[in-house]
């Protein structure tokens, strides 16, 4: 099987496993796990942010951040297809008692003018606008990346309206590699950033939440409330350290693979339209007479696994488990369909 369903299917490499086996560990709820402490300071340094908090999942990092930034009854501004809104089990309502102001984005990217128009006036009828969440790259937008200049414009709107700005950076490293941007530039702009280690970076588990000292102090308390205070999780954090040291630059290989897939898929009869490919995600719109589930079924017969993410869209995600020979086989199979 050649698995393009998600970059979460990656398994630890021998080098990563060795780093995990040799990790020094302690009780992290006591603040005594040297591997977690090292991962948190590495990540904070990389982004030029004050502190960091290791969390079991990206969902928890996002939800902890949203809880920190909001009060019950507040409104969170984000794209209508944002992960925090559509893929976190209603967590904004359940965990923070806040509601969402969804904005129709351009492949998941929202613009400063849209944010400005969505901010509620100070009026007792209205929810208090307190937080803007951006997603870079955008998962449902097909791995699209923000222009950094637009992020800066959104920051200005946030400053003017006293809004916090959170980045769901589950795949931020894909954006940084694709756009040749620096992590520290992003660290300067956002009040908080969550990054995933369990996606393209190839770790079995883990996410890191970044922010100012006071914010992380509050986040550490909320992580405990959510049940995310872990003990000797340094075995997992060691995988994260290994990933930050070895698996970032290689993301460009995954991006090349997604482009190669796009070039052959565009020539097949069952695809109507391809989303623009910027990183490691490729979303293909299938023809009206070819439901996405049937196309996924055809591919599965050739040992290629993809996800039908809607009735007329299939998604390929490339990752470090996809080798050159798997790519050759996949491209041949698609040409032969
Ligand atoms: C995967 C993902 C997350 C978090 O996922 P977990 O599986 O909880 O780690 C958050 N945001 C986006 C955009 C994602 O793709």
């Amino acid at each position: 099987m050649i698995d393009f369903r998600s970059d979460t299917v990656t398994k630890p490499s021998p080098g990563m496993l060795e780093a995990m086996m040799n990790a020094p560990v302690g009780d992290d709820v006591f603040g005594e796990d040297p591997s977690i402490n090292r991962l948190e300071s590495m990540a904070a340094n990389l982004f030029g942010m004050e502190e960091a908090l290791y969390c079991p999942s990206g969902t928890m990092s996002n939800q902890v951040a949203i809880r920190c930034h909001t009060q019950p009854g507040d409104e969170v501004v984000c794209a209508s297809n944002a992960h925090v809104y559509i893929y976190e089990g209603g967590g904004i309502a359940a965990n923070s008692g806040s509601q969402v102001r969804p904005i129709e984005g351009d492949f998941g990217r929202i613009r400063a003018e849209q944010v400005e128009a969505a901010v509620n006036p100070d009026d007792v009828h209205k929810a208090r606008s307190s937080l803007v969440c951006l997603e870079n790259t955008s998962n449902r937008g097909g791995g699209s990346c923000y222009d950094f200049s637009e992020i800066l414009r959104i920051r200005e709107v946030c400053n003017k309206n006293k809004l916090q700005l959170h980045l769901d950076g589950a795949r931020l490293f894909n954006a940084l590699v694709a756009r040749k941007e620096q992590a520290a530039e992003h660290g300067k702009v956002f009040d908080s950033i969550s990054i995933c280690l369990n996606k393209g970076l190839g770790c079995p588990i883990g996410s890191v939440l970044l922010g100012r000292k006071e914010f992380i102090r509050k986040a550490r308390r909320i992580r405990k409330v959510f049940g995310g205070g872990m003990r000797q999780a340094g075995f997992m954090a060691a995988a994260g350290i290994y990933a930050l040291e070895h698996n970032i630059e290689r993301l460009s290989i995954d991006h090349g693979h997604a482009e190669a897939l796009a070039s052959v898929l565009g020539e097949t009869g069952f695809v109507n339209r391809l989303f623009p490919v910027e990183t490691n995600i490729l979303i293909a719109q299938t023809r009206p007479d070819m439901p996405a589930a049937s196309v996924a079924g055809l591919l599965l017969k050739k040992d290629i696994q993809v996800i039908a993410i809607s009735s007329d869209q299939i998604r390929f995600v490339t990752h470090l488990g996809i080798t050159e020979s798997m790519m050759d086989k996949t491209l041949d199979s698609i040409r032969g369909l």
Side-chain angles (χ1 to χ4, degrees):
M1 280 294 166
I2 307 175
D3 198 344
F4 291 102
R5 287 172 303 164
S6 173
D7 46 9
T8 55
V9 301
T10 49
K11 295 187 183 139
S13 62
M16 182 179 281
L17 274 176
E18 197 186 319
M20 293 168 73
M21 294 304 287
N22 294 323
V25 296
D27 189 328
D28 181 52
V29 176
F30 294 170
E32 290 174 3
D33 189 300
S35 299
I36 292 191
N37 293 342
R38 187 166 158 229
L39 172 65
E40 289 176 346
S41 61
M42 254 179 98
N45 287 339
L46 183 59
F47 283 86
M49 293 181 93
E50 285 178 11
E51 286 194 8
L53 181 70
Y54 184 61
C55 289
S57 71
T59 299
M60 190 182 286
S61 295
N62 282 333
Q63 291 296 320
V64 165
I66 293 166
R67 174 69 171 265
C68 284
H69 289 309
T70 58
Q71 298 291 328
D74 282 1
E75 201 161 83
V76 177
V77 176
C78 64
S80 57
N81 60 3
H83 195 281
V84 293
Y85 179 40
I86 62 169
Y87 289 144
E88 299 190 3
I92 294 179
N95 297 317
S96 299
S98 289
Q99 64 186 28
V100 171
R101 172 73 76 96
I103 292 181
E104 208 52 52
D106 163 44
F107 295 105
R109 292 164 299 210
I110 57 178
R111 284 179 299 105
E113 293 77 18
Q114 293 178 297
V115 174
E116 182 128 53
V119 178
N120 288 329
D122 183 6
D123 172 338
V124 291
H125 296 89
K126 301 283 188 174
R128 194 179 72 106
S129 307
S130 55
L131 174 65
V132 177
C133 289
L134 305 183
E135 188 174 310
N136 197 18
T137 69
S138 164
N139 178 336
R140 230 25 201 78
S144 59
C145 304
Y146 268 91
D147 287 338
F148 192 66
S149 58
E150 194 61 36
I151 296 177
L152 292 175
R153 295 177 64 231
I154 293 172
R155 175 76 254 179
E156 281 176 28
V157 171
C158 291
N159 289 348
K160 209 170 108 193
N161 295 281
K162 298 199 172 59
L163 308 178
Q164 301 290 302
L165 184 58
H166 171 72
L167 175 63
D168 176 354
R171 295 190 181 81
L172 179 56
F173 289 108
N174 293 88
L176 297 180
V177 167
R179 293 289 180 112
K180 300 190 169 43
E181 290 166 353
Q182 298 301 314
E185 293 177 85
H186 289 254
K188 279 193 204 120
V189 180
F190 291 94
D191 296 295
S192 56
I193 297 179
S194 65
I195 56 168
C196 275
L197 302 166
N198 58 2
K199 303 253 163 100
L201 294 189
C203 298
I205 269 182
S207 165
V208 178
L209 179 62
L210 299 135
R212 290 184 197 89
K213 193 162 185 256
E214 269 315 300
F215 169 84
I216 293 295
R217 199 181 143 83
K218 195 168 166 189
R220 198 173 287 281
R221 168 176 282 275
I222 291 168
R223 183 189 66 173
K224 189 78 176 89
V225 175
F226 286 180
M230 297 182 287
R231 305 295 175 174
Q232 288 74 28
F235 292 116
M236 294 300 162
I241 294 169
Y242 182 91
L244 292 180
E245 285 173 344
H246 296 91
N247 291 348
I248 295 177
E249 289 311 317
R250 65 151 306 289
L251 291 170
S252 60
I253 299 171
D254 303 341
H255 301 171
H257 287 167
E259 265 175 41
L261 286 169
S263 64
V264 297
L265 272 169
E267 282 159 21
T268 62
F270 55 80
V271 168
N272 234 356
R273 182 174 79 103
L274 292 171
F275 281 34
V277 177
E278 282 202 73
T279 54
N280 71 325
I281 302 177
L282 168 62
I283 296 178
Q285 192 108 25
T286 59
R287 272 192 358 215
D289 55 329
M290 291 288 279
S294 330
V295 175
L298 278 179
L299 291 166
L300 192 60
K301 285 206 187 104
K302 306 261 188 183
D303 294 337
I304 300 165
Q305 291 177 286
V306 300
I307 292 188
I309 56 169
S310 71
S311 60
D312 64 348
Q313 290 177 339
I314 56 168
R315 187 185 78 171
F316 289 76
V317 185
T318 56
H319 52 78
L320 52 69
I322 300 290
T323 61
E324 294 306 322
S325 69
M326 288 178 186
M327 278 304 297
D328 291 343
K329 183 165 176 262
T330 303
L331 297 178
D332 279 346
S333 299
I334 294 174
R335 281 191 200 101
L337 274 181

